[in-house]
Amino acid sequence: MMTSSGPIRRVALLTSGGDAPGLNAVIRAFVKTARLEFGWDVYGVEDGFEGLIGKPKIRPLDLSDVRGLLPMGGTILGSTNKGHFSSFEIVEGRRVHDPAALNAVCETVRKLRIDGLVVLGGEGSQAIALDLYENGVPTVGVPKTIDNDLGGTDMTFGFHTALWVATDAIDRLHSTAASHDRVMVLEVMGRHAGWIALYAGIGGGADVILIPEIPFTFEAVADKILEREAHGTEFSIIVVAEGATPAGGTAVYQSEHEKRLGGIGQSVAEEVQRRTGKETRVVVLGHLQRGGSPTPSDRVLATRFGVAAAKAIAERKFGQMVALRCGQLTTVPLREVAGIVRGVPVDSDLISTARALGISMGDERG
Ligand code: F6P
């Protein structure tokens, strides 16, 4: 094993997968804690794990390098959801990555004498972090994704900002929907989990929320629109998660090959217009949900995670991911979260709250 019991001197961090608001805030908090509290040398790895394959792409990070980062979107280190680890096989429920790529990363970490490697990423990146840990790399994970679909933690950083953007979009769509007596369909991100759609739908007062965890029927969606009309409300707002699926159907992909979701909003809009006769428009919010400055809530969560990651290294809690559980920071074993997508529990009070308000989840006919 590469993990040693000697003193910690050099640590590194990388950002992996799609960017999320708060990545820079984590980098800042980690560097400040590592430098000020522990006196370690800190290195930033560029372009995720790719920066540790072949000629290392790393740069030292000191306090002056992280000044002003707290409100900045994106990641100063660069990231990718492509590269050597993007294809893998699943064997007995676990991802099996390219052994040559794993070895290359291990070799680079060993050569650079890195005593702790922090991985900011979602479930896929944490699966890579776990594989590296099991091959001797002292990794610590930090849960990142706007989708909030990572297990082991109550919340990931980036989610709150995406939610804010989606809720604001619903507010804006309301005025056009009401002025024109239209149905407005908003497609939001979230991969195969409905967290963004559900939270934003409740927060923005949507009439229909469609999430991957609850297959929907077009009949039920149309019923809701017509029921509202029968009660004198001529407009409706539908929020649909990109991974939502009609009962008995399959998810809609923009690119089947890349498994890139997108397009369900258009199908919902077309079917609603056809079945209700109401003028319908669709808005796909897309990457606007990932961009820009993190909300105060995400800045605080990212900062807590950054500090916690440094403390986890100091305590040699390798093979763990920092997490938020019941409002408290803790760590969870990577093997409990790696590669596992956490969907919205169908018995969640969020769903019963939505239903109690008369919001249709697209599964019950009016
Ligand atoms: O995981 C974050 C996310 O934004 C998903 O919500 C979305 O499905 C995907 O990434 C989009 O990825 P890309 O940036 O590669 O289009």
Side-chain angles (χ1 to χ4, degrees):
M1 292 282 278
M2 219 183 293
T3 44
S4 77
S5 53
I8 288 163
R9 293 197 176 90
R10 293 154 69 89
V11 295
L13 84 170
L14 61 82
T15 53
S16 172
D19 69 332
L23 282 166
N24 283 325
V26 178
I27 295 170
R28 168 182 174 270
F30 178 77
V31 170
K32 287 184 89 153
T33 313
R35 296 291 299 142
L36 295 173
E37 190 157 335
F38 300 114
W40 301 328
D41 290 338
V42 188
Y43 294 86
V45 179
E46 293 171 2
D47 301 335
F49 295 103
E50 296 301 295
L52 294 171
I53 295 176
K55 188 173 181 306
K57 289 197 277 181
I58 65 162
R59 58 170 125 132
L61 291 176
D62 210 337
L63 298 178
S64 58
D65 300 301
V66 297
R67 207 159 285 143
L69 282 195
L70 185 58
M72 268 177 60
T75 162
I76 56 161
L77 295 175
S79 191
T80 178
N81 50 14
K82 303 278 178 295
H84 290 79
F85 292 104
S86 58
S87 55
F88 50 83
E89 282 176 38
I90 306 272
V91 178
E92 290 171 7
R94 238 189 103 158
R95 291 186 187 207
V96 177
H97 300 110
D98 174 7
L102 278 173
N103 284 340
V105 173
C106 292
E107 186 59 14
T108 307
V109 170
R110 196 185 57 75
K111 275 193 190 143
L112 295 172
R113 290 181 285 114
I114 290 169
D115 303 310
L117 175 68
V118 178
V119 174
L120 280 58
E123 44 86 23
S125 305
Q126 301 308 339
I128 303 167
L130 173 63
D131 243 355
L132 290 170
Y133 169 67
E134 290 179 344
N135 282 281
V137 177
T139 53
V140 167
V142 177
K144 166 237 70 167
T145 169
I146 64 162
D147 305 331
N148 201 34
D149 63 350
L150 192 49
T153 185
D154 295 344
M155 199 160 283
T156 56
F157 72 87
F159 171 62
H160 193 266
T161 309
L163 173 61
W164 190 90
V165 172
T167 308
D168 181 57
I170 297 171
D171 289 349
R172 288 167 193 274
L173 292 176
H174 249 111
S175 29
T176 302
S179 306
H180 289 263
D181 291 344
R182 280 180 184 165
V183 177
M184 301 297 278
V185 178
L186 178 69
E187 180 183 307
V188 297
M189 283 185 164
R191 292 201 308 170
H192 298 288
W195 295 104
I196 299 177
L198 186 56
Y199 266 82
I202 294 173
D207 306 297
V208 179
I209 303 174
L210 305 176
I211 61 174
E213 295 82 352
I214 302 179
F216 67 91
T217 65
F218 291 113
E219 291 85 352
V221 177
D223 278 0
K224 180 68 192 175
I225 309 303
L226 294 173
E227 176 202 304
R228 279 173 58 78
E229 195 166 59
H231 287 94
T233 311
E234 298 283 344
F235 71 91
S236 291
I237 304 280
I238 301 174
V239 179
V240 53
E242 62 180 358
T245 332
T250 51
V252 180
Y253 289 92
Q254 274 179 66
S255 157
E256 276 283 349
H257 165 67
E258 291 182 37
K259 286 284 169 235
R260 192 148 33 86
L261 288 161
I264 186 66
Q266 183 64 33
S267 311
V268 169
E270 282 169 14
E271 279 295 320
V272 163
Q273 178 151 330
R274 192 174 70 77
R275 288 166 190 261
T276 65
K278 294 203 65 75
E279 199 180 7
T280 305
R281 297 283 190 275
V282 60
V283 172
V284 180
L285 207 45
H287 291 81
L288 291 174
Q289 292 157 100
R290 271 182 20 197
S293 186
T295 58
S297 198
D298 266 338
R299 293 181 199 189
V300 173
L301 184 59
T303 299
R304 291 171 82 190
F305 282 158
V307 172
K311 290 188 172 167
I313 290 182
E315 291 167 18
R316 294 176 184 281
K317 289 185 173 168
F318 300 123
Q320 303 269 319
M321 182 184 82
V322 299
L324 186 74
R325 288 268 183 97
C326 303
Q328 298 297 314
L329 285 180
T330 184
T331 58
V332 292
L334 280 173
R335 74 174 60 84
E336 286 176 16
V337 301
I340 296 166
V341 174
R342 183 181 68 108
V344 178
V346 285
D347 59 356
S348 153
D349 76 275
L350 279 167
I351 291 174
S352 53
T353 297
R355 291 195 200 275
L357 294 170
I359 298 172
S360 166
M361 300 300 298
D363 57 335
E364 290 169 2
R365 296 205 63 181

